[in-house]
């Protein structure tokens, strides 16, 4: 079996990781398409959908507060994590939602221009970087750099 950082990957682990990679890639791809739709001005009716995106953001904020409080973190960390989660959720919901709508309304434009394939590739690369960043968070933090003398 393949190993990564001392963990064994069995068929179930690989299946879960594959599902996670596929889900994240699709979400990021939809967000990239949404960004193109927003920049090109092809988001008619956005003001009617915005309250749904804001509600999703508020839900993520409260959920993050509850989860981080349950871990016994200090107040500053709780509010910073909840704020970052809420902002990230709002961006992904807005861009992803608009991307899905744009793809449904203009499928031929995405396929004939090959943009969809480029966005899928970008989504996969971003997913890989995200996975790597999460697994190496401690190595990347400023505190660990000061302790190790890295960056002096």
């Amino acid at each position: 079996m393949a190993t990564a950082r001392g963990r064994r990957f069995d068929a179930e682990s690989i299946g879960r990781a594959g599902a996670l990679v596929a889900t994240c890639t699709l979400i990021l791809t939809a967000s990239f398409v949404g960004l193109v739709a927003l920049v090109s001005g092809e988001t008619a009716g956005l003001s009617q959908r915005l309250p749904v995106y804001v509600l999703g953001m508020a839900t993520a904020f409260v959920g993050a507060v509850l989860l981080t409080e349950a871990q016994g973190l200090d107040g500053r960390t709780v509010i910073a994590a909840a704020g970052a989660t809420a902002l990230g959720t709002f961006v992904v919901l807005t861009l992803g939602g608009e991307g899905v709508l744009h793809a449904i309304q203009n499928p031929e434009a995405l396929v004939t221009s090959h943009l969809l394939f480029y966005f899928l590739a970008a989504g996969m690369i971003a997913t890989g970087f995200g996975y790597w960043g999460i697994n190496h968070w401690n190595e990347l933090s400023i505190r660990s750099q000061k302790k190790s003398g890295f960056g002096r």
Side-chain angles (χ1 to χ4, degrees):
M1 294 280 156
T3 61
R5 297 186 62 120
R7 296 183 298 238
R8 286 199 172 269
F9 287 119
D10 56 8
E12 184 180 340
S13 298
I14 292 171
R16 277 195 308 251
L20 180 64
V21 167
T23 301
C24 290
T25 299
L26 290 175
I27 290 169
L28 287 167
T29 301
S31 297
F32 294 148
V33 172
L35 182 61
V36 168
L38 281 171
V39 169
S40 65
E42 298 178 21
T43 56
L46 174 63
S47 62
Q48 285 82 30
R49 293 183 295 276
L50 195 58
V52 175
Y53 302 146
V54 172
L55 180 61
M57 176 189 70
T59 303
F61 178 80
V62 172
V65 167
L66 294 174
L67 287 173
T68 52
E69 281 285 341
Q71 294 176 5
L73 300 173
D74 65 285
R76 181 177 288 172
T77 302
V78 168
I79 202 67
T85 299
L87 180 62
T89 299
F90 179 73
V91 169
V92 169
L93 282 178
T94 302
L95 293 179
E98 295 306 306
V100 168
L101 287 173
H102 183 68
I104 290 170
Q105 294 169 352
N106 305 305
E108 68 286 342
L110 291 173
V111 175
T112 57
S113 67
H114 302 291
L115 273 180
L116 185 60
F117 300 105
Y118 290 118
F119 288 154
L120 275 169
M124 287 184 78
I125 291 168
T127 298
F129 272 123
Y131 179 83
W132 174 82
I134 289 169
N135 282 316
H136 297 277
W137 184 258
N138 289 334
E139 298 168 33
L140 299 173
S141 73
I142 293 171
R143 290 179 186 156
S144 70
Q145 290 176 5
K146 287 180 181 177
K147 287 180 185 176
S148 69
F150 181 73
R152 287 185 187 188

